[in-house]
């Protein structure tokens, strides 16, 4: 066990004794299959040495992530927005539907919205200067014992820097300038649960600080190393724990290692005819363990649920030992749910190693759609009615007018004159014939999934409701394009920073009767704060409603501004974001819907969960991790 106390050893013995007793009881019920092969195959842990991985198996996330991903920006190295020599925007690479396409409207929108100029460029530092990285502070006793386990590790500068950050604006801005602060002293790659147990045991023994690292997509400063930490910091990278250990087709569950990223999880399940349906915007790179640790939400939660609805069983290694429930029943009445101590713990208590999740057969039919409303107010009223009647499609997202214009600017060049003519005809019909004001209209994108007949019935029900609020069906293409943009929109921030534009997104959840107020007031607060703090050009301040519930909705805000003329643009940005968060809380919004707290938002935790609530969280931390081995200092 990962504990030096007798309590840890005792709990381990108790679990083994109980497991053996239960095996004896059920052994009489097991039947040998006719072909003599075992009915269940357990995947073994194959720990590898600290040398480079020689496996020929292709992994989405290799140990050296910097070989395929940007070290100071979002996503894959071969994929990015740029303005070519003709001044046209294009998206490079071959990974996305938008890849290789010209986006004719982006330049005019970009320059017109931000007052930016393609003549004023701020390129990023292309290569990490390893000599600027401080040498690692290694705990030699820990390192010596780690070597004997055969678990791979590295203290290479590039490996360490890559795992020292998430994707907050201040983190990426600093890296683009080649600035590196406190970073992990070592990276370690466990291959299975047992490897994690060994690592945590050694960390406890030698007083080493561990920071779990999954997909690295955090936007809450959760992965930043505390500058005041004097112990050796080890980044525990779970990416090589990426297997589906078993699929139970009778109970529709899958037992999965927590380091797997979303795109791999869905791909592997799809090969067997199943899916989880959990699709956060970051699903390409975010990990299952990260979803659990932050209480994640996906765009199709209306059908499949949020992560707390999908999880059946969790295994987590802590300094006190392993936490897991004694069975995989769908629900228990056994006191406070220990899963809810784990979910949202943000790496402060231990490492999630394995998760049993609900799975579903892949939907036989999928259909996109979109609805245009005369204004945002009527769009919100429609979403409220859809939620009230509990007939929301897999996904329904409402963009305000500014975001609609932004989405329109990202429309790729069409090769067909007929398609261009049809687009113009639709615009004429909506704006001239129906009288929608282009400066007020907004659009909802829809995704329906399931049995074909039921999908078509469901679609009619939603469009009938939309019509009562002035909504007009705007076609499948707009809906599909909206969801396609989900996975490329994060690349746009890097383009902006190439031309003096910085921006970020943040989210909240709010009761239905406060949705319109919070959208209006937060956007206005952002504009006012930017003006007050010397931002010379009006900022982009926009929002969308992304998830709906019986009692409220999730609202996403985006803001960005041209920082030319500002001596410390990141400080100005942080002041504006801080004010926006204060405005959210004052208007009845939550601290976070699914991004989590990290270190970025923890100053508001006490007012969010109360002093007693904070005391409860701290008591759990003090019991499970009395020496603060998991010392990322998130939440508390």
């Amino acid at each position: 066990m990962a504990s030096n106390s007798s309590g840890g050893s005792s709990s381990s013995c108790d679990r083994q004794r109980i497991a053996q007793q239960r095996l004896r009881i059920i052994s009489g019920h097991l039947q040998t299959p006719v072909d003599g092969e075992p009915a269940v195959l357990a995947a073994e842990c194959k720990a590898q040495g600290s040398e480079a991985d020689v496996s020929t198996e292709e992994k989405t996330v290799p140990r050296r992530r910097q070989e395929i991903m940007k070290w100071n920006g979002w996503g894959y190295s071969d994929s990015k927005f740029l303005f070519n020599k003709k001044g046209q925007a294009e998206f490079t690479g071959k990974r996305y539907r938008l890849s290789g396409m010209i986006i004719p409207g982006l330049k005019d929108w970009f320059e017109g919205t931000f007052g930016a100029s393609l003549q004023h460029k701020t390129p990023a530092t292309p290569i990490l200067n390893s000599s600027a990285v401080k040498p690692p502070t290694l705990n030699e006793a820990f390192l010596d014992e780690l070597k004997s386990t055969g678990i791979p590790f590295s203290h290479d500068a590039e490996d360490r820097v890559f795992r020292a950050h998430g994707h907050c604006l201040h983190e990426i801005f600093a890296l683009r300038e080649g600035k590196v602060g406190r970073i992990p002293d070592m990276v370690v790659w466990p291959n299975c649960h047992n490897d994690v147990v060994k690592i945590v045991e050694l960390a406890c023994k030698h007083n080493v600080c561990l920071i779990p690292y999954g997909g690295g997509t955090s936007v809450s400063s959760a992965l930043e190393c505390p500058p005041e930490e004097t112990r050796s910091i080890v980044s525990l990278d779970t990416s090589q724990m990426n297997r589906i250990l078993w699929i139970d087709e009778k109970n529709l569950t899958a037992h999965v290692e927590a380091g797997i990223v979303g795109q791999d999880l869905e791909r592997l399940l799809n090969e067997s005819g199943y899916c989880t349906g959990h699709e956060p915007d970051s699903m390409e790179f975010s990990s299952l363990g990260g979803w659990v640790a932050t209480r994640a939400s996906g765009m199709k939660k209306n059908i499949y649920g949020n992560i707390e609805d999908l999880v059946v069983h969790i295994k987590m290694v802590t300094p006190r030992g392993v936490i897991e429930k004694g069975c995989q029943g769908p629900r228990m009445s056994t006191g406070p749910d220990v899963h809810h101590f784990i979910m949202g713990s943000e790496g402060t208590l231990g490492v999630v190693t394995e998760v049993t999740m609900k799975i579903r057969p892949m939907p036989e039919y999928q259909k996109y759609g979109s609805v245009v409303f005369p204004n945002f107010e009527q769009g919100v009223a429609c979403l409220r009615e859809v939620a009230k009647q509990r007939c929301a499609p897999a996904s329904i997202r409402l963009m305000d007018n500014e975001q609609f214009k932004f989405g329109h600017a990202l429309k790729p060049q069409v090769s067909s004159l007929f398609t261009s003519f049809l687009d113009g005809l639709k615009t004429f019909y909506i704006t001239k014939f129906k009288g929608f004001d282009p400066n007020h209209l907004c659009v909802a994108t829809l995704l329906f999934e399931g049995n074909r007949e039921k999908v078509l019935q469901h679609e009619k029900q939603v469009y009938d409701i939309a019509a009562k609020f002035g909504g007009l069906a705007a076609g499948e293409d707009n809906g599909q394009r909206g969801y396609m943009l989900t996975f490329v929109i994060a690349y746009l921030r890097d383009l902006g920073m190439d031309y003096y534009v910085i921006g970020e997104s943040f989210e909240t959840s709010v009761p239905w009767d406060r949705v319109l107020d919070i959208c209006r007031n937060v956007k206005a607060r952002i504009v006012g704060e930017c003006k007050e703090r010397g931002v010379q050009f009006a900022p982009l301040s926009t929002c969308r409603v992304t998830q709906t519930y019986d009692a409220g909705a999730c609202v996403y805000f985006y803001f960005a501004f041209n920082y030319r003329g500002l001596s410390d643009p990141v400080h100005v940005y942080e002041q504006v974001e801080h004010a926006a968060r204060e405005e959210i809380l004052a208007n009845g919004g939550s601290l976070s819907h699914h991004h989590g707290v990290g270190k970025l938002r923890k100053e508001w935790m006490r007012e969010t969960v109360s002093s007693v609530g904070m005391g409860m969280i701290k008591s759990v931390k003090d019991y499970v991790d009395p020496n603060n081995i998991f010392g990322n200092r998130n939440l508390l």
Side-chain angles (χ1 to χ4, degrees):
M1 279 292 78
S3 173
N4 296 325
S5 67
S6 59
S9 301
S10 173
S11 64
S12 175
C13 293
D14 286 346
R15 277 205 311 276
Q16 290 176 10
R17 178 179 55 78
I18 293 168
Q20 288 170 356
Q21 181 183 5
R22 290 178 178 172
L23 280 171
R24 285 196 297 271
I25 292 171
I26 66 172
S27 61
H29 304 299
L30 298 177
Q31 295 180 342
T32 303
V34 176
D35 58 8
E37 292 295 318
V40 179
L41 294 175
E44 293 181 4
C45 176
K46 294 184 173 63
Q48 296 157 340
S50 57
E51 297 301 319
D53 187 356
V54 296
S55 170
T56 56
E57 180 185 351
E58 185 178 344
K59 298 183 179 77
T60 296
V61 184
R63 284 193 212 157
R64 289 183 60 81
R65 301 185 191 213
Q66 58 270 31
E67 292 176 355
I68 63 166
M69 296 168 69
K70 299 185 187 78
W71 69 278
N72 60 356
W74 178 264
Y76 294 109
S77 301
D78 59 7
S79 301
K80 64 178 180 178
F81 285 96
L82 56 78
F83 292 111
N84 61 27
K85 292 179 180 179
K86 296 180 179 179
Q88 299 172 311
E90 62 178 271
F91 190 64
T92 65
K94 298 179 181 179
R95 298 177 186 272
Y96 302 90
R97 288 185 58 195
L98 196 62
S99 296
M101 292 188 177
I102 300 295
I103 305 139
L106 185 57
K107 177 179 178 289
D108 289 345
W109 177 87
F110 183 73
E111 292 183 329
T113 300
F114 298 110
S117 168
L118 301 194
Q119 307 307 313
H120 301 133
K121 199 167 183 184
T122 51
T125 302
I127 300 171
L128 174 67
N129 179 8
S130 297
S131 63
V133 179
K134 290 183 179 179
T137 301
L138 299 175
N139 183 311
E140 295 297 341
F142 172 85
L143 182 57
D144 287 344
E145 289 205 52
L146 180 67
K147 288 177 181 177
S148 69
T149 67
I151 299 170
F153 66 87
S154 168
H155 38 77
D156 173 78
E158 287 187 356
D159 289 333
R160 293 163 55 215
V161 168
F162 204 101
R163 290 154 186 84
H165 66 88
H167 283 272
C168 290
L169 174 73
H170 67 271
E171 295 173 306
I172 300 302
F173 195 94
L175 289 172
R176 285 174 59 92
E177 295 193 331
K179 297 176 181 177
V180 179
R182 180 72 161 102
I183 66 173
D185 300 296
M186 182 192 300
V187 181
V188 61
W189 289 275
N191 285 280
C192 63
H193 168 81
N194 289 339
D195 281 359
V196 175
V197 172
K198 292 173 188 175
I199 293 166
V200 176
E201 283 179 341
L202 292 178
C204 290
K205 181 178 179 180
H206 299 290
N207 194 27
V208 164
C209 176
L210 296 177
I211 297 183
Y213 185 95
T217 58
S218 164
V219 286
S220 64
S221 300
L223 293 170
E224 283 186 314
C225 297
E228 64 273 26
E229 181 59 74
T230 58
R231 297 174 295 178
S232 182
I233 298 177
V234 174
S235 175
L236 195 157
D237 185 327
T238 62
S239 62
Q240 305 310 295
M241 298 166 54
N242 53 22
R243 298 169 299 171
I244 295 176
L245 298 178
W246 48 254
I247 293 174
D248 184 337
E249 295 186 314
K250 288 188 177 180
N251 293 310
L252 285 180
T253 56
H255 193 64
V256 188
E257 290 180 316
I260 196 168
V261 295
Q263 61 172 313
D264 285 352
L265 176 59
E266 290 304 298
R267 174 176 54 80
L268 293 172
L269 285 174
N270 289 174
E271 289 173 4
S272 297
Y274 298 101
C275 67
T276 67
H278 186 72
E279 295 185 8
D281 290 1
S282 62
M283 72 169 289
E284 286 180 287
F285 308 112
S286 57
S287 68
L288 172 55
W291 300 343
V292 171
T294 57
R295 293 181 61 87
S297 179
M299 66 178 84
K300 298 195 293 188
K301 73 95 197 161
N302 294 332
I303 289 181
Y304 301 100
N306 291 317
I307 194 66
E308 65 269 23
D309 305 307
L310 287 164
V311 165
V312 176
H313 187 267
I314 304 172
K315 186 184 288 187
M316 184 168 85
V317 181
T318 78
R320 184 70 70 167
V322 176
I323 303 175
E324 63 177 322
K325 292 182 179 180
C327 80
Q328 302 214 7
R331 186 179 186 275
M332 300 181 195
S333 178
T334 50
D337 191 341
V338 295
H339 281 175
H340 289 283
F341 291 112
I342 299 171
M343 288 189 284
S345 59
E346 299 193 13
T348 60
L349 303 179
V351 186
V352 176
T353 58
E354 296 175 10
V355 180
T356 305
M357 298 182 75
K358 300 173 187 175
I359 58 175
R360 299 295 304 166
M362 288 178 65
E364 70 172 63
Y365 189 66
Q366 196 176 58
K367 190 171 185 183
Y368 293 92
S370 60
V371 180
V372 59
F373 294 96
N375 54 57
F376 190 65
E377 290 77 11
Q378 285 177 262
V380 170
C382 173
L383 265 62
R384 175 67 189 109
E385 185 61 27
V386 167
K388 191 183 293 183
Q389 294 191 27
R390 291 188 170 177
C391 63
S395 178
I396 179 168
R397 301 191 293 190
L398 179 72
M399 299 177 285
D400 70 1
N401 183 258
E402 285 298 329
Q403 201 157 127
F404 161 71
K405 291 176 180 176
F406 174 38
H408 191 71
L410 288 171
K411 199 167 186 177
Q413 190 170 22
V414 293
S415 56
S416 165
L417 191 64
F418 181 66
T419 302
S420 180
F421 171 73
L422 282 181
D423 286 343
L425 203 60
K426 288 177 189 174
T427 302
F428 176 82
Y429 175 74
I430 290 170
T431 59
K432 303 297 183 185
F433 189 74
K434 285 293 183 178
F436 283 24
D437 185 340
N439 294 313
H440 288 94
L441 64 81
C442 69
V443 173
T445 55
L446 313 170
L447 172 60
F448 300 88
E449 284 188 359
N451 170 278
R452 187 177 189 279
E453 185 179 345
K454 289 182 178 179
V455 162
L456 296 177
Q457 292 174 354
H458 195 180
E459 181 187 42
K460 183 180 184 305
Q461 184 181 9
V462 171
Y463 280 115
D464 285 349
I465 293 172
K468 294 177 182 177
F469 296 91
L472 297 173
E476 289 184 57
D477 288 346
N478 285 323
Q480 189 168 19
R481 192 164 54 84
Y483 287 98
M484 173 192 72
L485 291 175
T486 295
F487 300 114
V488 300
I489 200 167
Y491 287 93
L492 275 165
R493 187 173 70 177
D494 294 337
L495 176 71
M497 285 194 280
D498 283 342
Y499 297 94
Y500 286 93
V501 173
I502 54 176
E504 186 64 280
S505 64
F506 51 90
E507 37 64 75
T508 185
S509 55
V510 63
W512 279 113
D513 65 344
R514 304 297 302 158
V515 169
L516 290 175
D517 285 342
I518 208 168
C519 291
R520 179 180 62 251
N521 294 344
V522 172
K523 289 194 292 183
R525 181 74 179 268
I526 289 170
V527 172
E529 291 286 335
C530 283
K531 186 175 182 180
E532 185 178 319
R533 299 182 190 285
V535 177
Q536 297 177 17
F537 306 91
L540 173 70
S541 181
T542 177
C543 72
R544 67 181 182 189
V545 179
T546 59
Q547 281 111 322
T548 61
Y549 298 86
D550 288 351
C554 169
V555 179
Y556 241 104
F557 293 94
Y558 294 82
F559 85 95
F561 59 82
N562 184 334
Y563 68 83
R564 288 189 69 210
L566 297 177
S567 60
D568 191 348
V570 172
H571 179 62
V572 171
Y573 163 79
E574 289 175 340
Q575 288 180 310
V576 175
E577 186 189 35
H578 190 279
R581 182 59 59 183
E582 291 277 13
E583 190 70 32
I584 284 172
L585 296 173
N587 280 268
S590 69
L591 187 56
S592 176
H593 172 262
H594 60 269
H595 281 171
V597 176
K599 291 178 275 291
L600 188 66
R601 290 178 272 274
K602 70 178 182 178
E603 68 177 270
W604 293 287
M605 272 292 284
R606 190 170 299 277
E607 70 175 273
T608 297
V609 302
S610 80
S611 295
V612 175
M614 284 293 286
M616 293 172 68
I617 295 170
K618 188 174 186 303
S619 294
V620 173
K621 169 70 173 176
D622 290 344
Y623 174 77
V624 171
D625 186 15
N627 295 318
N628 195 31
I629 296 301
F630 288 90
N632 59 24
R633 290 174 169 78
N634 295 334
L635 297 173
L636 297 168

